[in-house]
Amino acid sequence: MSMIRLRWIATGALLLAPAPGAAQVGNSVAQQRVPILREYLDLLAIPNIASDTANIRRNADRLLQMMAKRGLSPRLLEADDVAVPPAVYGEWLVPGATRTFVIYAHYDGQPVTPSDWKSTQPFVPVLRTARLDRPGKLIPLPAEGAAIDPEWRIYARSASDDKLGVMAILAAVDALRAQGQRPAFNVKIFLEGEEEAGSPNLRSVLTKHAATLKSDGWVIVDGPAHPSGARQVVLGVRGDVNLDIVVHGPARPLHSGHYGNWAPNPAMMLSRLLASMKDENGRVTITGFYDDVAPLGRAERQAIAVVPSADAQLREDLGLATTEGGGRSLLDLIHEPSLNINGIRSADVGEKARNVIPTTASATLDLRLVKGNDHKRQVARVIEHIKRQGFTVLDREPTMEERRRFAKIATAIPQSGYNAERTELAHPLAQSVIAAVKGSGDAVVLPTLGGSLPLYLLSETLGAPSVTLSLANHDNNQHAEDENLRIGNLWGAIETLAAVMRMK
Amino acid sequence: MSMIRLRWIATGALLLAPAPGAAQVGNSVAQQRVPILREYLDLLAIPNIASDTANIRRNADRLLQMMAKRGLSPRLLEADDVAVPPAVYGEWLVPGATRTFVIYAHYDGQPVTPSDWKSTQPFVPVLRTARLDRPGKLIPLPAEGAAIDPEWRIYARSASDDKLGVMAILAAVDALRAQGQRPAFNVKIFLEGEEEAGSPNLRSVLTKHAATLKSDGWVIVDGPAHPSGARQVVLGVRGDVNLDIVVHGPARPLHSGHYGNWAPNPAMMLSRLLASMKDENGRVTITGFYDDVAPLGRAERQAIAVVPSADAQLREDLGLATTEGGGRSLLDLIHEPSLNINGIRSADVGEKARNVIPTTASATLDLRLVKGNDHKRQVARVIEHIKRQGFTVLDREPTMEERRRFAKIATAIPQSGYNAERTELAHPLAQSVIAAVKGSGDAVVLPTLGGSLPLYLLSETLGAPSVTLSLANHDNNQHAEDENLRIGNLWGAIETLAAVMRMK
């Protein structure tokens, strides 16, 4: 496998050539990468929440232009319902190639709460000379040819998750072309537009466009690198499903003085319910929660054993004196299903708080699933647990008759979810990608990523195996406020994709 | 004591005359009360959050005009800091009067969350033909002389709490004047502008203007009537203090997939903490919480015993299958200190939820206090309880060093609070007010209201006893969204104030 490195020629196009070591690449070519940054910042400026139909279409249009410019014969792959975000498809077919792989990224991002952002507004991408909590400053896009420090960061929603994947794929195409090279296989590019919304239409898109998407496997570009900085080759992902819970108090809000210690408080009822779901060590106490887990094979356990532990560094960086799991490692724990509180809310707090007994208290739970779990079965266990705490569980608001009859009422509504997926370490696609990535720098191999992607759909609908490349800096705040990308990881991602496109 | 009733003369002024029964008053004069409603809706349209300095001044200016029009020699009583909401003062001195009483209401309102309001916007007062959850519709202010149904409601912030008190005092003055009558004592009117903010400057205002405010006692107009509809004469109020608690998680928000079941979740830590504060029956489990309660005297216990129980009606109306306290009555329970969760918040829920481990989870607690409790001592007990749950408690954000050292960290900040106050049933002021109110219709006497007012300041700074009149409809949503006033309660409040101004 060729060691592929990126370099600029005078015109600004990318050159590929064997290079001596990964560490030298960032600095040596930093001064020539302004056009990529400009194109990337322009893309990040387009709001990309999946439910924002008009702006999602603007993203898709921009991606069509970006692919057309690169000769990738782009088109939209629409779902049956044209109101949903389309996938953007492109291809680079290689005469004589015997293999075909689809390279995937998603161009939509997590919802945003702009008031929480300290760095910038989510869709006003900015450059900073350092991570927000370290000494640094905002800087403009440098002039072409100016030096670019790989430690600089781009702040914007989806800077890491996952327009990074989109940009890296397209810039890797530029890199091959500039070098006069072709991919080692037929490259099909699939950019999803509603991954962060739970991919509700992905199944129908894959089914409808199965002929177009025929391949020997998928390479998914998403997720963060290892905290050590090494890129991650991930053979599977956890499944995911969210559950919205609303606990009901009095039918109308009450003055906390006139009715306090008489009318039940839904925030207290919710607190008690949530507290019942995990023990002090973070072990989920819901009956059967860990029952279905499929154990890892020997090869997978060996792969995990050689991954360097980042736990101490993470604890230091995140200011954590202790972690859940009674001292077990992060890598160990992400091979188990999890239960996380994404948010809780009842009335207001602090300056906006009023002296009331609220009418409702809400929580959104995030359940991560591993091989063996089924998302509907796991949600059913949580609902069964809520019932066991004395709640009447509904999938709608209670009626007044129900309120008068049942002491504890919760509305529990699961969102669309999906199961975990894992490709065997011995699979040829896994072996090829691992070799290509390891050949271009530091890499670790994980049987399962902590995060989720609807990879099970690929095997279910297309029979396609998949391997995931996780290339963003680990401290990227993805899904939260102040999402960011370390610029050195952008260069590294382009380089990695170029290597994979040339994989044996 | 004269039975004072309200009637309009042709010019729209109020007439006072003995009337046959309270129930007949509402309908018989309903068609003549449009000018009061117009003046009241105009007052409610001025935003009145205590922290909104510009609008609070607009309220104070309007009140000066309303008092000047009535010949009440108004002026502002400023605190030392002129940036704080002023009290508005007026007086009707009666030659030869041997007694002087101050009548109090507050013109500021609780903070608002406009998006929660279903009826209207908080400061766009509207009329509805029925309570919002019952069949009815929005209607314009009727023409003068048109019939007004006492069941109609005004929706606006402070419609009940407590511009009702302001409007009733001024309209009662009109009523006496139109009847050619004078009060039975020197009337001083004191309208506070930051009661809902915890009256942080009331002490300094009372002290600074002690000579102006010299009196034999205060009559406070605030709070809701008994659920049966009977007006309440309240001899005391619970004290009140809020405590803001923030539980700290990781120093930056984390992806719930990559770090879920490893990084501790502050929403879960907060849930566990809150759940530890009360048992399933709503009994507060914090050590010493009930220790300081001063028992009620025999006269007070007898007064409580004759108040009709509204519990069954309230449970029906609020859709409550059970209540806290293991079956004890509301009236019994409000003579104990309480702990209520005003609100909880961590990240977002429902459609806005993201798959994150939040950095913080917050709650605001409301502690109500009875005679014997001290607000600082009660807060100290809660903080001691938080420590006993394993938390390091700070009054500021933790440093990174503290985060790395302590497994559980909470920031706990008490807001300004005050103690309970109670006037003995045998006190002459209590006896006079009770006689006047009972003489004008149904009334109940309560030793303590569930709600709070800083009455202790009156006895501390001025040596003045106080009695509270609670006249708003009980289902007024005060402190919450969709606050409203039943119009019949406005007429009743005016009538009651006129009777009190003539009390023997």
Side-chain angles (χ1 to χ4, degrees):
Chain A
M1 201 196 74
S2 64
M3 293 273 284
I4 296 180
R5 297 289 165 209
L6 309 183
R7 223 181 267 164
W8 283 104
I9 57 169
T11 60
L14 285 163
L15 272 181
L16 293 166
Q24 299 174 15
V25 174
N27 287 331
S28 70
V29 300
Q31 70 275 23
Q32 294 160 320
R33 282 154 176 175
V34 171
I36 292 179
L37 281 183
R38 182 178 299 120
E39 187 177 19
Y40 193 38
L41 295 176
D42 285 350
L43 179 62
L44 291 171
I46 310 175
N48 68 335
I49 312 306
S51 58
D52 179 358
T53 309
N55 276 314
I56 277 291
R57 288 277 157 183
R58 288 179 59 213
N59 277 278
D61 289 346
R62 173 69 57 88
L63 295 174
L64 287 175
Q65 294 163 18
M66 290 167 71
M67 285 193 184
K69 188 173 77 175
R70 290 168 169 93
L72 297 171
S73 313
R75 60 183 185 275
L76 299 183
L77 303 186
E78 301 275 2
D80 291 329
D81 177 357
V82 296
V84 309
V88 185
Y89 173 84
E91 59 188 19
W92 185 352
L93 304 182
V94 179
T98 58
R99 298 173 301 165
T100 300
F101 295 111
V102 182
I103 308 184
Y104 165 106
H106 64 88
Y107 66 88
D108 68 310
Q110 280 273 320
V112 292
T113 306
S115 58
D116 289 347
W117 285 61
K118 290 188 274 293
S119 61
T120 179
Q121 287 301 284
F123 301 110
V124 181
V126 296
L127 287 180
R128 293 190 69 90
T129 57
R131 207 172 77 184
L132 195 59
D133 58 345
R134 295 171 181 164
K137 58 179 181 180
L138 282 176
I139 50 169
L141 184 66
E144 286 194 30
I148 297 177
D149 186 333
E151 297 302 329
W152 290 356
R153 303 225 172 183
I154 300 170
Y155 278 86
R157 171 57 84 226
S158 295
S160 270
D161 180 20
D162 179 36
K163 284 183 173 174
L164 168 64
V166 173
M167 193 67 234
I169 294 166
L170 298 183
V173 166
D174 293 337
L176 292 187
R177 285 206 201 284
Q179 187 70 345
Q181 298 209 38
R182 297 187 308 188
F185 51 85
N186 293 311
V187 171
K188 296 181 174 182
I189 301 169
F190 183 93
L191 307 179
E192 192 188 357
E194 51 173 7
E195 194 272 338
E196 299 293 3
S199 301
N201 301 286
L202 184 57
R203 179 187 295 274
S204 93
V205 170
L206 295 178
T207 305
K208 189 173 171 184
H209 304 281
T212 302
L213 297 168
K214 191 169 156 47
S215 77
D216 300 298
W218 287 50
V219 176
I220 311 294
V221 188
D222 200 3
H226 189 266
S228 68
R231 293 157 305 158
Q232 299 195 121
V233 180
V234 183
L235 303 182
V237 290
R238 291 207 274 194
D240 191 28
V241 62
N242 283 2
L243 179 64
D244 291 324
I245 300 172
V246 180
V247 170
H248 299 278
R252 57 185 171 77
L254 296 174
H255 187 292
S256 64
H258 300 311
Y259 299 97
N261 23 326
W262 181 80
N265 184 309
M268 181 59 87
M269 293 162 77
L270 178 68
S271 295
R272 201 181 296 284
L273 173 62
L274 295 173
S276 74
M277 293 183 179
K278 289 179 108 168
D279 69 17
E280 277 276 355
N281 274 333
R283 185 83 181 165
V284 178
T285 52
I286 294 169
T287 304
F289 198 80
Y290 299 101
D291 279 1
D292 304 328
V293 177
L296 292 172
R298 178 185 299 187
E300 279 74 14
R301 279 184 277 117
Q302 285 173 343
I304 292 174
V306 300
V307 178
S309 170
D311 290 25
Q313 180 197 331
L314 279 171
R315 278 199 303 272
E316 170 89 2
D317 194 32
L318 298 170
L320 298 177
T322 57
T323 50
E324 297 190 342
R328 290 169 62 198
S329 74
L330 172 58
L331 210 52
D332 189 12
L333 290 168
I334 62 174
H335 290 90
E336 289 192 346
S338 74
L339 182 151
N340 181 67
I341 303 175
N342 279 356
I344 52 176
R345 193 156 181 181
S346 182
D348 280 295
V349 298
E351 282 193 5
K352 296 202 77 179
R354 294 147 298 162
N355 284 330
V356 293
I357 302 169
T359 57
T360 60
S362 303
T364 293
L365 299 184
D366 175 50
L367 308 178
R368 299 284 167 166
L369 313 162
V370 297
K371 280 293 266 189
N373 289 144
D374 175 76
H375 65 95
K376 289 186 180 163
R377 201 162 55 224
Q378 204 74 340
V379 162
R381 285 177 173 137
V382 178
I383 289 177
E384 183 57 32
H385 177 86
I386 299 173
K387 289 179 181 169
R388 235 176 259 136
Q389 308 309 305
F391 283 87
T392 298
V393 179
L394 306 172
D395 59 0
R396 52 166 173 78
E397 294 278 299
T399 64
M400 274 306 277
E401 285 62 41
E402 287 164 339
R403 289 173 178 277
R404 290 173 187 140
R405 186 167 161 208
F406 302 115
K408 294 161 123 185
I409 303 177
T411 300
I413 299 178
Q415 303 302 312
S416 62
Y418 51 80
N419 292 339
E421 181 70 14
R422 193 163 72 220
T423 297
E424 295 301 307
L425 186 59
H427 192 283
L429 173 61
Q431 291 295 316
S432 287
V433 172
I434 290 167
V437 175
K438 286 195 167 170
S440 66
D442 291 341
V444 300
V445 177
L446 293 182
T448 288
L449 191 70
S452 302
L453 289 164
L455 300 184
Y456 78 101
L457 282 176
L458 301 175
S459 62
E460 274 189 23
T461 59
L462 304 175
S466 58
V467 170
T468 298
L469 297 174
S470 295
L471 307 174
N473 44 297
H474 77 99
D475 57 349
N476 65 47
N477 279 28
Q478 73 182 100
H479 288 201
E481 63 271 19
D482 298 322
E483 180 175 348
N484 65 86
L485 172 67
R486 180 181 164 275
I487 287 183
N489 286 65
L490 174 58
W491 311 145
I494 298 169
E495 190 179 319
T496 305
L497 265 295
V500 166
M501 286 181 192
R502 296 284 301 155
M503 71 184 176
K504 293 285 189 287
Chain B
M1 198 195 75
S2 66
M3 292 272 284
I4 295 179
R5 298 291 164 204
L6 308 185
R7 224 182 266 165
W8 283 103
I9 57 168
T11 59
L14 283 164
L15 273 180
L16 292 167
Q24 300 174 15
V25 174
N27 288 329
S28 70
V29 300
Q31 71 275 24
Q32 295 161 319
R33 281 154 176 176
V34 171
I36 292 179
L37 282 183
R38 181 178 300 119
E39 187 176 21
Y40 193 38
L41 295 176
D42 285 351
L43 179 62
L44 291 171
I46 310 174
N48 67 336
I49 313 306
S51 58
D52 178 359
T53 308
N55 276 314
I56 278 291
R57 287 279 157 182
R58 288 180 57 214
N59 277 278
D61 289 346
R62 173 68 56 88
L63 294 174
L64 287 175
Q65 292 163 17
M66 290 167 71
M67 284 193 186
K69 189 172 77 174
R70 291 168 167 94
L72 297 171
S73 314
R75 60 184 186 275
L76 300 183
L77 303 187
E78 302 275 1
D80 291 329
D81 177 356
V82 295
V84 309
V88 185
Y89 173 84
E91 60 188 20
W92 185 351
L93 304 183
V94 180
T98 56
R99 298 173 301 165
T100 300
F101 295 111
V102 182
I103 307 183
Y104 165 105
H106 65 87
Y107 65 89
D108 68 311
Q110 279 273 319
V112 292
T113 306
S115 59
D116 289 348
W117 285 60
K118 290 187 274 293
S119 60
T120 179
Q121 288 300 287
F123 301 112
V124 181
V126 295
L127 288 179
R128 292 190 71 89
T129 57
R131 208 173 76 184
L132 194 60
D133 59 346
R134 296 171 180 164
K137 59 179 182 182
L138 282 176
I139 49 169
L141 183 67
E144 286 193 28
I148 297 177
D149 185 335
E151 296 303 327
W152 290 356
R153 303 224 173 185
I154 299 170
Y155 277 85
R157 170 57 82 228
S158 296
S160 270
D161 181 19
D162 180 37
K163 284 182 174 176
L164 168 63
V166 173
M167 193 67 235
I169 294 167
L170 298 183
V173 166
D174 293 337
L176 292 188
R177 285 206 200 284
Q179 188 70 343
Q181 299 210 38
R182 296 188 307 189
F185 51 87
N186 293 312
V187 171
K188 296 181 173 181
I189 301 169
F190 183 92
L191 307 178
E192 191 188 357
E194 52 173 5
E195 194 273 337
E196 299 293 3
S199 301
N201 300 285
L202 183 58
R203 180 187 294 275
S204 91
V205 170
L206 295 178
T207 305
K208 189 172 170 184
H209 303 282
T212 301
L213 296 168
K214 190 169 159 45
S215 77
D216 299 298
W218 287 50
V219 176
I220 310 294
V221 188
D222 202 1
H226 189 265
S228 67
R231 294 158 302 158
Q232 300 194 120
V233 180
V234 183
L235 304 182
V237 290
R238 291 206 275 194
D240 190 28
V241 63
N242 283 3
L243 178 64
D244 291 325
I245 300 172
V246 180
V247 170
H248 299 277
R252 56 185 171 79
L254 296 175
H255 187 292
S256 64
H258 300 312
Y259 299 97
N261 24 328
W262 181 79
N265 184 309
M268 182 59 87
M269 294 161 77
L270 177 68
S271 296
R272 201 182 297 284
L273 174 61
L274 294 173
S276 75
M277 293 183 179
K278 289 178 107 168
D279 69 17
E280 277 276 354
N281 274 333
R283 186 82 183 164
V284 178
T285 52
I286 294 169
T287 305
F289 198 81
Y290 299 101
D291 280 1
D292 304 326
V293 177
L296 292 172
R298 177 185 299 189
E300 280 73 15
R301 279 186 276 116
Q302 284 172 342
I304 292 174
V306 299
V307 177
S309 170
D311 289 25
Q313 180 197 332
L314 278 170
R315 279 199 302 272
E316 171 89 2
D317 192 33
L318 297 171
L320 298 177
T322 57
T323 49
E324 296 190 342
R328 288 170 63 198
S329 73
L330 172 58
L331 211 51
D332 189 13
L333 290 166
I334 62 175
H335 290 90
E336 289 192 345
S338 75
L339 182 150
N340 181 67
I341 303 175
N342 278 356
I344 52 176
R345 194 157 183 179
S346 181
D348 279 294
V349 298
E351 282 193 6
K352 296 204 76 180
R354 294 148 298 162
N355 283 330
V356 294
I357 301 168
T359 55
T360 60
S362 303
T364 293
L365 300 184
D366 174 50
L367 308 178
R368 299 283 166 166
L369 313 163
V370 296
K371 281 292 267 188
N373 289 144
D374 175 76
H375 67 94
K376 288 185 180 164
R377 200 161 57 223
Q378 204 74 338
V379 163
R381 285 175 173 139
V382 177
I383 289 177
E384 183 57 32
H385 176 87
I386 299 172
K387 289 179 182 169
R388 237 177 257 136
Q389 307 309 305
F391 284 85
T392 298
V393 179
L394 306 172
D395 60 1
R396 52 166 174 78
E397 293 278 301
T399 64
M400 275 306 277
E401 286 61 39
E402 287 164 337
R403 289 174 179 276
R404 290 172 188 139
R405 186 166 161 209
F406 302 115
K408 295 161 122 183
I409 304 177
T411 300
I413 299 178
Q415 303 302 312
S416 63
Y418 51 79
N419 292 340
E421 181 69 15
R422 194 164 72 219
T423 296
E424 294 302 307
L425 186 59
H427 191 281
L429 173 62
Q431 291 297 315
S432 288
V433 172
I434 290 168
V437 176
K438 285 195 168 171
S440 66
D442 290 341
V444 299
V445 177
L446 292 182
T448 288
L449 191 70
S452 302
L453 289 164
L455 300 185
Y456 77 102
L457 281 177
L458 301 175
S459 61
E460 274 189 24
T461 58
L462 305 176
S466 58
V467 170
T468 297
L469 296 175
S470 293
L471 307 174
N473 44 296
H474 77 98
D475 57 350
N476 65 46
N477 280 27
Q478 72 182 103
H479 288 203
E481 62 272 20
D482 298 323
E483 179 175 349
N484 67 85
L485 172 67
R486 180 181 164 276
I487 287 182
N489 287 65
L490 175 57
W491 310 147
I494 297 169
E495 190 178 321
T496 305
L497 265 295
V500 166
M501 286 181 191
R502 295 284 299 156
M503 70 185 177
K504 294 283 190 292

PDB file of all heavy atoms in Angstrom, chain B residues 248-260:
ATOM      1  N   HIS B 248     -22.207  19.917  39.284  1.00  0.00           N
ATOM      2  CA  HIS B 248     -21.242  19.995  38.188  1.00  0.00           C
ATOM      3  C   HIS B 248     -20.847  18.621  37.661  1.00  0.00           C
ATOM      4  O   HIS B 248     -20.532  17.727  38.442  1.00  0.00           O
ATOM      5  CB  HIS B 248     -19.998  20.762  38.655  1.00  0.00           C
ATOM      6  CG  HIS B 248     -20.319  22.169  39.055  1.00  0.00           C
ATOM      7  ND1 HIS B 248     -20.429  23.184  38.144  1.00  0.00           N
ATOM      8  CD2 HIS B 248     -20.621  22.703  40.258  1.00  0.00           C
ATOM      9  CE1 HIS B 248     -20.761  24.298  38.775  1.00  0.00           C
ATOM     10  NE2 HIS B 248     -20.882  24.047  40.056  1.00  0.00           N
ATOM     11  N   GLY B 249     -20.882  18.472  36.331  1.00  0.00           N
ATOM     12  CA  GLY B 249     -20.409  17.261  35.672  1.00  0.00           C
ATOM     13  C   GLY B 249     -19.072  17.524  34.999  1.00  0.00           C
ATOM     14  O   GLY B 249     -18.257  18.283  35.515  1.00  0.00           O
ATOM     15  N   PRO B 250     -18.825  16.903  33.848  1.00  0.00           N
ATOM     16  CA  PRO B 250     -17.555  17.128  33.154  1.00  0.00           C
ATOM     17  C   PRO B 250     -17.387  18.604  32.780  1.00  0.00           C
ATOM     18  O   PRO B 250     -18.367  19.316  32.589  1.00  0.00           O
ATOM     19  CB  PRO B 250     -17.670  16.247  31.909  1.00  0.00           C
ATOM     20  CG  PRO B 250     -19.124  15.907  31.769  1.00  0.00           C
ATOM     21  CD  PRO B 250     -19.709  15.962  33.142  1.00  0.00           C
ATOM     22  N   ALA B 251     -16.136  19.036  32.676  1.00  0.00           N
ATOM     23  CA  ALA B 251     -15.850  20.453  32.438  1.00  0.00           C
ATOM     24  C   ALA B 251     -16.330  20.921  31.070  1.00  0.00           C
ATOM     25  O   ALA B 251     -16.515  22.112  30.857  1.00  0.00           O
ATOM     26  CB  ALA B 251     -14.349  20.712  32.594  1.00  0.00           C
ATOM     27  N   ARG B 252     -16.495  19.990  30.130  1.00  0.00           N
ATOM     28  CA  ARG B 252     -17.116  20.372  28.857  1.00  0.00           C
ATOM     29  C   ARG B 252     -18.143  19.310  28.476  1.00  0.00           C
ATOM     30  O   ARG B 252     -18.058  18.165  28.924  1.00  0.00           O
ATOM     31  CB  ARG B 252     -16.061  20.580  27.760  1.00  0.00           C
ATOM     32  CG  ARG B 252     -15.162  19.405  27.506  1.00  0.00           C
ATOM     33  CD  ARG B 252     -14.055  19.749  26.483  1.00  0.00           C
ATOM     34  NE  ARG B 252     -13.089  18.685  26.407  1.00  0.00           N
ATOM     35  CZ  ARG B 252     -13.252  17.547  25.739  1.00  0.00           C
ATOM     36  NH1 ARG B 252     -14.367  17.333  25.068  1.00  0.00           N
ATOM     37  NH2 ARG B 252     -12.318  16.622  25.737  1.00  0.00           N
ATOM     38  N   PRO B 253     -19.137  19.703  27.663  1.00  0.00           N
ATOM     39  CA  PRO B 253     -20.183  18.738  27.327  1.00  0.00           C
ATOM     40  C   PRO B 253     -19.615  17.591  26.499  1.00  0.00           C
ATOM     41  O   PRO B 253     -18.741  17.795  25.653  1.00  0.00           O
ATOM     42  CB  PRO B 253     -21.180  19.567  26.517  1.00  0.00           C
ATOM     43  CG  PRO B 253     -20.455  20.790  26.089  1.00  0.00           C
ATOM     44  CD  PRO B 253     -19.359  21.030  27.069  1.00  0.00           C
ATOM     45  N   LEU B 254     -20.114  16.386  26.743  1.00  0.00           N
ATOM     46  CA  LEU B 254     -19.572  15.195  26.090  1.00  0.00           C
ATOM     47  C   LEU B 254     -20.649  14.471  25.285  1.00  0.00           C
ATOM     48  O   LEU B 254     -21.821  14.457  25.667  1.00  0.00           O
ATOM     49  CB  LEU B 254     -19.028  14.244  27.149  1.00  0.00           C
ATOM     50  CG  LEU B 254     -17.844  14.762  27.957  1.00  0.00           C
ATOM     51  CD1 LEU B 254     -17.493  13.767  29.058  1.00  0.00           C
ATOM     52  CD2 LEU B 254     -16.637  14.999  27.050  1.00  0.00           C
ATOM     53  N   HIS B 255     -20.237  13.844  24.226  1.00  0.00           N
ATOM     54  CA  HIS B 255     -21.078  12.980  23.407  1.00  0.00           C
ATOM     55  C   HIS B 255     -21.522  11.801  24.278  1.00  0.00           C
ATOM     56  O   HIS B 255     -20.690  11.126  24.888  1.00  0.00           O
ATOM     57  CB  HIS B 255     -20.241  12.516  22.219  1.00  0.00           C
ATOM     58  CG  HIS B 255     -20.995  11.752  21.181  1.00  0.00           C
ATOM     59  ND1 HIS B 255     -21.509  10.503  21.409  1.00  0.00           N
ATOM     60  CD2 HIS B 255     -21.308  12.071  19.910  1.00  0.00           C
ATOM     61  CE1 HIS B 255     -22.100  10.069  20.302  1.00  0.00           C
ATOM     62  NE2 HIS B 255     -21.997  11.017  19.380  1.00  0.00           N
ATOM     63  N   SER B 256     -22.830  11.567  24.326  1.00  0.00           N
ATOM     64  CA  SER B 256     -23.343  10.545  25.237  1.00  0.00           C
ATOM     65  C   SER B 256     -23.042   9.134  24.755  1.00  0.00           C
ATOM     66  O   SER B 256     -23.156   8.178  25.517  1.00  0.00           O
ATOM     67  CB  SER B 256     -24.851  10.700  25.407  1.00  0.00           C
ATOM     68  OG  SER B 256     -25.504  10.476  24.168  1.00  0.00           O
ATOM     69  N   GLY B 257     -22.667   8.991  23.477  1.00  0.00           N
ATOM     70  CA  GLY B 257     -22.279   7.674  22.994  1.00  0.00           C
ATOM     71  C   GLY B 257     -20.835   7.370  23.345  1.00  0.00           C
ATOM     72  O   GLY B 257     -20.523   6.322  23.908  1.00  0.00           O
ATOM     73  N   HIS B 258     -19.968   8.317  23.064  1.00  0.00           N
ATOM     74  CA  HIS B 258     -18.542   8.053  23.269  1.00  0.00           C
ATOM     75  C   HIS B 258     -18.164   7.997  24.746  1.00  0.00           C
ATOM     76  O   HIS B 258     -17.194   7.360  25.112  1.00  0.00           O
ATOM     77  CB  HIS B 258     -17.700   9.111  22.558  1.00  0.00           C
ATOM     78  CG  HIS B 258     -17.946   9.137  21.078  1.00  0.00           C
ATOM     79  ND1 HIS B 258     -17.961   7.993  20.311  1.00  0.00           N
ATOM     80  CD2 HIS B 258     -18.244  10.149  20.228  1.00  0.00           C
ATOM     81  CE1 HIS B 258     -18.234   8.305  19.052  1.00  0.00           C
ATOM     82  NE2 HIS B 258     -18.419   9.605  18.978  1.00  0.00           N
ATOM     83  N   TYR B 259     -18.924   8.718  25.594  1.00  0.00           N
ATOM     84  CA  TYR B 259     -18.564   8.790  27.010  1.00  0.00           C
ATOM     85  C   TYR B 259     -19.659   8.308  27.957  1.00  0.00           C
ATOM     86  O   TYR B 259     -19.470   8.306  29.169  1.00  0.00           O
ATOM     87  CB  TYR B 259     -18.149  10.217  27.366  1.00  0.00           C
ATOM     88  CG  TYR B 259     -16.948  10.679  26.569  1.00  0.00           C
ATOM     89  CD1 TYR B 259     -17.094  11.452  25.414  1.00  0.00           C
ATOM     90  CD2 TYR B 259     -15.661  10.314  26.960  1.00  0.00           C
ATOM     91  CE1 TYR B 259     -16.001  11.859  24.671  1.00  0.00           C
ATOM     92  CE2 TYR B 259     -14.556  10.710  26.225  1.00  0.00           C
ATOM     93  CZ  TYR B 259     -14.733  11.482  25.079  1.00  0.00           C
ATOM     94  OH  TYR B 259     -13.639  11.876  24.353  1.00  0.00           O
ATOM     95  N   GLY B 260     -20.815   7.908  27.381  1.00  0.00           N
ATOM     96  CA  GLY B 260     -21.931   7.462  28.238  1.00  0.00           C
ATOM     97  C   GLY B 260     -21.623   6.149  28.908  1.00  0.00           C
ATOM     98  O   GLY B 260     -21.157   5.220  28.275  1.00  0.00           O
TER      99      GLY B 260
END
